[in-house]
Amino acid sequence: MKKVQQHYDEVADIYDDRYDGHRGRCYHGHISDHVMNALPKGGLLLDIGCGTGLFVERYVEEGGRAVGLDISPGMVRHGRQRCPDSEFCVGTADILPFRDATFDALASLLAFSYVPDPEAMLRESYRVLKPGGRIAVCTLSRTVFTSVVPLIYRMGEKAGLKSVCVGDFDEHYYTNDEIASLFSEAGFEDVSVSRCTFAHLSLADPIFTLARKVEPFVEENLPYLAYNVCAAGKKPED
């Protein structure tokens, strides 16, 4: 995780550039829609791996309150600038610095694959959620396309390419069954898993535009081609 922290500290000042353009806004907005649809509105959210606060901002705009946690101090600094009325802190997912039953909702967007101990993260997530609270995670999925991504990232790292998310971080690409099992074993009920995003922001126009048009069809009929997997669940009521 030290390597992940160092990378995101180094790119913190340019991280938002990744999502400022049309493709970035579409890509992150699409993922955010999937996560938002699985969470209660108007409650208190914990966003694990919050980055610069993009989803914290989204949740607050829709009437909730939010706390952001990230391993990178640089990302946390930018999150505080983006959302000055929300709380942000530096920390790791396996030991959350919050009391039991604190949050109504918990989210993690594009960070779960980098967590070295996903079982510990989900145990901690379960602990800090209130009874009846909901969790939603969107992360990297294992597909025919993503199987070559680690090799590309290793090549980029060796070439000295300083770009967001380009590096050999030992990230894990999840199947539907893998992530569903992790959620169930952590104690969550009503577990659901789906795939999303066929139009990845790394695609150049006009390929990105074409991928956007067929994205709904892919997600519904060819989900094994989607780039990300979304899992959601509920902590049982008392």
Side-chain angles (χ1 to χ4, degrees):
M1 289 302 288
K2 182 65 176 178
K3 186 176 181 180
V4 175
Q5 176 187 337
Q6 181 180 353
H7 171 77
Y8 281 98
D9 278 339
E10 290 175 351
V11 303
D13 291 338
I14 64 170
Y15 183 82
D16 284 346
D17 294 342
R18 182 176 172 86
Y19 300 111
D20 274 344
H22 171 69
R23 282 176 290 165
R25 287 194 298 270
C26 289
Y27 176 70
H28 195 274
H30 187 57
I31 290 172
S32 296
D33 288 344
H34 276 262
V35 174
M36 280 295 302
N37 289 339
L39 296 177
K41 309 301 187 291
L44 177 61
L45 166 83
L46 173 62
D47 184 6
I48 296 179
C50 64
T52 61
L54 288 169
F55 190 72
V56 167
E57 182 179 52
R58 168 78 181 269
Y59 196 80
V60 170
E61 285 176 347
E62 299 203 12
R65 296 173 295 127
V67 176
L69 179 140
D70 201 281
I71 194 173
S72 164
M75 291 292 187
V76 165
R77 183 178 70 253
H78 281 274
R80 288 170 178 157
Q81 293 170 355
R82 177 187 295 277
C83 305
D85 294 328
S86 295
E87 178 185 345
F88 289 85
C89 60
V90 177
T92 59
D94 57 337
I95 305 176
L96 296 176
F98 306 104
R99 295 179 179 177
D100 296 357
T102 297
F103 298 96
D104 303 290
L106 188 145
S108 181
L109 284 72
L110 307 178
F112 191 75
S113 286
Y114 304 99
V115 174
D117 190 344
E119 291 89 353
M121 173 182 164
L122 290 174
R123 285 196 301 269
E124 280 288 271
S125 299
Y126 187 95
R127 179 183 66 79
V128 301
L129 276 173
K130 297 176 182 177
R134 301 196 67 89
I135 179 175
V137 168
C138 186
T139 194
L140 303 173
S141 67
R142 189 186 304 170
T143 72
V144 64
F145 299 126
T146 60
S147 62
V148 301
V149 171
L151 175 61
I152 294 172
Y153 284 175
R154 284 195 291 272
M155 292 172 61
E157 184 178 85
K158 290 180 179 179
L161 181 60
K162 295 292 184 181
S163 182
V164 177
C165 296
V166 174
D168 183 12
F169 304 121
D170 293 323
E171 65 271 19
H172 186 81
Y173 294 76
Y174 285 92
T175 67
N176 289 29
D177 289 343
E178 279 181 306
I179 201 163
S181 294
L182 286 170
F183 271 55
S184 296
E185 289 167 6
F188 293 106
E189 62 182 18
D190 299 336
V191 175
S192 63
V193 180
S194 62
R195 295 289 186 99
C196 78
T197 56
F198 183 64
H200 193 268
L201 57 81
S202 63
L203 296 174
D205 288 325
I207 299 175
F208 178 83
T209 301
L210 176 61
R212 282 266 294 169
K213 290 180 179 179
V214 302
E215 191 166 60
F217 177 85
V218 170
E219 290 176 347
E220 183 174 352
N221 299 284
L222 303 169
Y224 52 86
L225 297 180
Y227 190 78
N228 292 302
V229 59
C230 298
K234 175 184 175 183
K235 181 175 180 176
E237 303 278 357
D238 282 340

